[in-house]
Amino acid sequence: MRLDLSSSISLSEIPKQYYRPQNTYEETLLRRFENIPTNIYRTNEEAAEVLADEIAKEIRDFQEKRKYYTLALSGGVSPVIVYEMLIRKHREEGLSFRNVIVFAVFEYYPPVSENLGCMAKLRQDFLDHIDILPENIIAPDVYASQEDLVQACHDYEAKIDNLGGIRHMLLGIGSGGSIAFNSPGTHPNTYTRLVVLGHTEHNDALTIFSSHDTIPPSAISMGIATIQKAHKVTLLAWGESKADAIAKAIEGKISDASPASYLQLHRNATILLDLSASSLLTRIHHPWLVTNCIWNKQLIRRAVVNLCQITGKPILKLTNKDYTENGLGELLARYGSAYEVNIKLFNDIQHTITGWPGGKPNADDSSRPERALPYPKRVVIFSPHPDDDVISMGGTFSKLVRQGHDVHVAYQTSGNIAVGDEEVIRYVSYLRNVCRQYGMEDNPILQKAEEVRDFLMHKKVEGEPEQEDVRFMKGTIRREEARTACRHIGLAEDHIHFLDLPFYETGLIKKNPLSEADAEIVLALLREIRPHQVFVAGDLADPHGTHRVCLNAILAAIDEIKEEPWFRDDCRVWMYRGAWAEWEMDYIEMAVPMSPDELRFKRNSILKHQSQMESAPFLGDDERLFWQRAEDRNRQTASLYEKLGLASYEAIEAFVQYKPISE
């Protein structure tokens, strides 16, 4: 897909999907085996387009019958791409929603403000952009007193029944298998009711609310029985973070431990997945157990690594019996013996390890992941937020600098919404005290500091965009932390670039779509530096989407320059993962080991970002701090290499090469 940066572009010209290494065996499976359901798609965009077409047809069918069409919607993240496509159909195809009645699947209780909550998000993402009648938007009565709440819930169910029930309900899935706010342990006979938010649901609410302190303690939610009586239910799940919950819901036993598993009993339920969300289903994760396979390098790696984990043996100790007893006889038939498979795979994985991520000069590079020449290399490390560089590849970053390469780091966004108000109050209070100490009470800087401090100390309205002055101060805090971390690593300040991509600068959790302006900024930097290596975040598990948008900005820029000789002939693109997960062993092409001292150095680099320690608002459903997650992830990767029979290291950072498709 080519992006013409010299003219205006439409949204459809910018790639939306999560990056996945090309020619994956999962895509081969989808092309080859007809028994894989059509509800698994390569990307969430493909799945959403099918669903939007289906809903549009249903709406038009009901219009012809002069009937209302009832739609139950979630204010979560997963359906947003469907809403975008329905809005497009309204604007470009004349699809009318005047016969549509929308019910909110849940709403937070008690309300914080009119600008925050499920219905506020639905309006922002969807309802305010179509011609639905205001009286056809129905939500639970969150203004009911606690004494009247039970009756309000009964009334909500009655409204649904009086309109003939829900024709189509769209749901997302929580990391614990929850649907709506029906968390594990929910009885199947529950209807609309008040529920207390659990730990997971509380963290999921950070996609709507700006901080933990503003999240209401409870919600009014449709129950399992409400969901089961809907005429049609579609559950949407995108990304690796949903894979475990989806596998349990589809392949596990029907149980209150996974409320989504109750959909197995529904008469007309569909689950739409992208490849990442389906990655732990047997047909995708262990296809050799259910069908014949087209074996490629990635699938062989996955199968043999899984066999090592089952048997507790390193690669070179696996036997013919191990293969045949675990459904891998096909590999023996293909290679002749366990020994042949073992040695081939051992050498393949061994050659991913290098202590020279920029290439080792004056060395044979025929079996190394990176070229020896040119040396030194010009390197650009793209970091979505001002700490992803050190969290995700701090050890590799340090090695590149110490080994003499010309390293640049480019922070794609300001990261300002991830700074708590108390951090700004602390800094402006410091500034106020300094000005007073040195007789600068009339200084306009002091006056601005007082103004910002007073605003934050008495902030009342939630859900409004952050003030520009506050955003500037929060962004400045993150810039200086990034500079401090880079100085710790040894990077010159003129090699630090703050791109401040426009899509991010909304002052809200919700960001603008990726635009030409974002890609142009990335493109300009690449053409200015002309790097031999580019490192980018290819994080499939990013919970709030910024990594994905930043990646797509880079891919759009690369698509523009991929045929320019300097890039085509001399540049390689390496993708790292973020704080949430590491690349699967199937795909790792470069593994950079770290010693205990190097891992400690990486930790200290991460700790320079003090605003992102305990008070960071987007830690997710994980109580570990970012440096702890990074160390655990790097140690786990090293442990896996050791268990496979390779060298024993303290920690390893892993990378996958991205190769743009030539025209």
Side-chain angles (χ1 to χ4, degrees):
M1 184 179 297
R2 189 168 183 81
L3 176 61
D4 182 3
L5 294 172
S6 63
S7 60
S8 62
I9 59 174
S10 66
L11 181 66
S12 61
E13 290 178 276
I14 294 180
K16 287 183 178 180
Q17 66 273 17
Y18 285 120
Y19 166 77
R20 194 74 178 176
Q22 294 95 339
N23 301 320
T24 64
Y25 53 83
E26 291 99 331
E27 293 196 358
T28 304
L29 287 169
L30 289 183
R31 289 195 298 269
R32 182 181 179 196
F33 299 114
E34 295 180 358
N35 64 331
I36 290 198
T38 54
N39 58 4
I40 300 178
Y41 297 85
R42 291 178 179 84
T43 68
N44 60 349
E45 187 174 26
E46 290 181 21
E49 186 174 2
V50 171
L51 180 57
D53 288 343
E54 178 185 330
I55 293 173
K57 182 180 184 303
E58 291 172 356
I59 291 173
R60 291 188 175 110
D61 289 345
F62 273 71
Q63 287 170 347
E64 291 179 2
K65 299 173 185 176
R66 296 183 179 277
K67 291 184 177 181
Y68 284 113
Y69 177 77
T70 50
L71 192 59
L73 301 179
S74 162
V77 175
S78 298
V80 170
I81 189 172
V82 182
Y83 302 155
E84 291 173 352
M85 293 185 177
L86 289 172
I87 292 169
R88 194 177 305 163
K89 289 181 179 295
H90 169 65
R91 292 174 176 170
E92 299 175 6
E93 302 174 12
L95 175 64
S96 175
F97 292 82
R98 294 181 71 83
N99 72 315
V100 176
I101 297 176
V102 166
F103 285 91
V105 172
F106 61 84
E107 185 57 280
Y108 294 94
Y109 182 89
V112 175
S113 79
E114 293 183 356
N115 300 312
L116 291 173
C118 173
M119 186 52 68
K121 190 171 190 303
L122 281 174
R123 290 185 184 278
Q124 184 184 58
D125 293 338
F126 183 36
L127 301 177
D128 286 348
H129 307 281
I130 57 176
D131 63 343
I132 190 170
L133 299 174
E135 61 267 26
N136 289 350
I137 301 172
I138 305 174
D141 184 5
V142 293
Y143 294 99
S145 65
Q146 292 191 9
E147 293 77 11
D148 297 331
L149 204 52
V150 172
Q151 184 59 49
C153 292
H154 287 320
D155 292 344
Y156 197 59
E157 290 281 344
K159 289 179 183 178
I160 295 172
D161 294 338
N162 292 339
L163 288 166
I166 302 295
R167 301 303 309 182
H168 202 155
M169 180 181 293
L170 304 191
L171 296 173
I173 185 170
S175 55
S178 60
I179 46 178
F181 274 118
N182 299 289
S183 57
T186 300
H187 195 276
N189 292 333
T190 51
Y191 288 88
T192 300
R193 71 211 186 280
L194 182 70
V195 296
V196 176
L197 303 190
H199 178 72
T200 300
E201 291 76 24
H202 185 88
N203 283 320
D204 287 344
L206 285 171
T207 59
I208 294 178
F209 297 91
S210 58
S211 69
H212 288 281
D213 295 336
T214 60
I215 299 173
S218 54
I220 299 174
S221 174
M222 292 183 180
I224 298 296
T226 316
I227 294 169
Q228 295 290 46
K229 69 180 183 180
H231 294 271
K232 180 187 292 187
V233 174
T234 301
L235 186 147
L236 313 173
W238 324 127
E240 288 182 352
S241 61
K242 305 294 185 181
D244 183 62
I246 283 296
K248 291 175 181 175
I250 295 176
E251 297 182 345
K253 293 181 179 180
I254 300 172
S255 165
D256 62 6
S258 173
S261 67
Y262 290 130
L263 293 178
Q264 295 180 34
L265 301 173
H266 196 282
R267 63 186 181 276
N268 190 14
T270 302
I271 298 180
L272 293 187
L273 310 172
D274 63 3
L275 272 173
S276 297
S278 69
S279 60
L280 294 183
L281 295 176
T282 300
R283 73 194 76 157
I284 300 295
H285 195 52
H286 298 144
W288 57 87
L289 297 178
V290 294
T291 186
N292 293 330
C293 297
I294 298 176
W295 293 97
N296 61 15
K297 184 175 77 171
Q298 288 81 20
L299 187 55
I300 292 172
R301 270 206 208 174
R302 174 169 289 191
V304 177
V305 169
N306 180 69
L307 183 58
C308 290
Q309 292 170 334
I310 291 173
T311 62
K313 295 180 178 180
I315 295 172
L316 295 179
K317 289 189 177 182
L318 294 173
T319 65
N320 285 6
K321 183 180 178 182
D322 294 326
Y323 280 83
T324 56
E325 288 183 349
N326 290 279
L328 293 174
E330 274 190 76
L331 285 179
L332 298 183
R334 179 173 179 174
Y335 290 101
S337 69
Y339 175 79
E340 294 299 329
V341 183
N342 295 349
I343 198 67
K344 175 180 175 61
L345 184 67
F346 182 88
N347 288 334
D348 174 44
I349 297 177
Q350 175 70 39
H351 292 157
T352 66
I353 303 173
T354 179
W356 294 80
K360 187 174 184 178
N362 303 316
D364 178 10
D365 59 8
S366 57
S367 62
R368 292 178 177 272
E370 252 299 353
R371 307 146 291 168
L373 300 174
Y375 176 84
K377 290 182 174 67
R378 292 186 300 275
V379 181
V380 174
I381 299 172
F382 283 101
S383 180
H385 300 97
D387 59 355
D388 289 309
D389 52 340
V390 288
I391 289 174
S392 303
M393 54 170 292
T396 303
F397 186 176
S398 177
K399 283 182 185 290
L400 289 167
V401 172
R402 286 189 287 108
Q403 290 169 2
H405 297 285
D406 183 20
V407 181
H408 295 253
V409 62
Y411 298 106
Q412 292 176 267
T413 70
S414 67
N416 53 26
I417 68 163
V419 177
D421 291 347
E422 68 280 357
E423 289 287 326
V424 181
I425 292 171
R426 180 159 62 92
Y427 280 102
V428 296
S429 297
Y430 168 81
L431 181 59
R432 181 185 61 175
N433 293 335
V434 170
C435 289
R436 287 177 176 174
Q437 173 68 23
Y438 295 103
M440 301 172 67
E441 287 85 352
D442 296 330
N443 192 301
I445 296 176
L446 174 59
Q447 295 171 9
K448 180 60 67 177
E450 292 281 13
E451 178 184 320
V452 169
R453 185 177 186 276
D454 183 67
F455 169 77
L456 293 176
M457 292 288 287
H458 303 92
K459 190 173 172 182
K460 293 180 180 179
V461 179
E462 295 293 341
E464 292 289 340
E466 196 78 84
Q467 282 190 351
E468 184 177 352
D469 290 331
V470 175
R471 295 208 314 267
F472 167 76
M473 291 189 176
K474 290 184 175 182
T476 299
I477 290 171
R478 298 216 67 182
R479 281 184 180 227
E480 294 311 313
E481 289 174 342
R483 286 192 176 101
T484 302
C486 287
R487 284 196 298 270
H488 180 69
I489 288 174
L491 190 68
E493 292 215 12
D494 62 356
H495 279 44
I496 305 171
H497 308 268
F498 296 97
L499 305 186
D500 292 335
L501 296 187
F503 85 89
Y504 187 89
E505 297 304 319
T506 64
L508 295 167
I509 296 172
K510 180 178 174 61
K511 303 305 178 189
N512 289 324
L514 183 65
S515 72
E516 178 185 10
D518 300 297
E520 281 185 328
I521 292 170
V522 173
L523 180 62
L525 182 70
L526 289 172
R527 281 181 168 156
E528 175 189 347
I529 298 174
R530 296 198 171 197
H532 303 103
Q533 279 186 315
V534 176
F535 289 86
V536 302
D539 201 333
L540 307 185
D542 172 29
H544 47 94
T546 299
H547 285 212
R548 178 181 61 177
V549 181
C550 286
L551 173 62
N552 286 333
I554 296 169
L555 296 185
I558 287 175
D559 199 49
E560 177 71 11
I561 60 176
K562 63 186 180 184
E563 297 302 332
E564 295 181 13
W566 70 268
F567 183 90
R568 184 190 63 226
D569 301 334
D570 291 321
C571 186
R572 289 187 184 180
V573 180
W574 293 99
M575 292 191 157
Y576 60 81
R577 298 295 295 276
W580 294 275
E582 185 56 272
W583 289 111
E584 306 97 319
M585 180 60 76
D586 319 16
Y587 299 116
I588 295 175
E589 294 174 270
M590 180 163 67
V592 181
M594 290 180 283
S595 69
D597 287 341
E598 288 173 322
L599 185 61
R600 190 177 305 109
F601 185 89
K602 173 178 176 174
R603 179 199 302 176
N604 290 334
S605 302
I606 298 171
L607 290 173
K608 303 301 180 185
H609 296 268
Q610 283 297 305
S611 70
Q612 302 304 294
M613 293 301 103
E614 289 87 346
S615 60
F618 299 112
L619 289 171
D621 190 21
D622 190 332
E623 295 183 355
R624 295 174 300 168
L625 301 179
F626 286 127
W627 70 266
Q628 294 171 318
R629 300 183 206 190
E631 287 193 6
D632 289 347
R633 187 195 69 181
N634 296 155
R635 285 194 173 108
Q636 287 167 3
T637 304
S639 176
L640 177 56
Y641 270 77
E642 181 181 6
K643 289 175 181 176
L644 294 176
L646 292 109
S648 177
Y649 296 102
E650 178 70 14
I652 287 177
E653 294 173 337
F655 302 86
V656 169
Q657 188 178 0
Y658 171 73
K659 298 176 183 178
I661 299 173
S662 299
E663 296 178 355

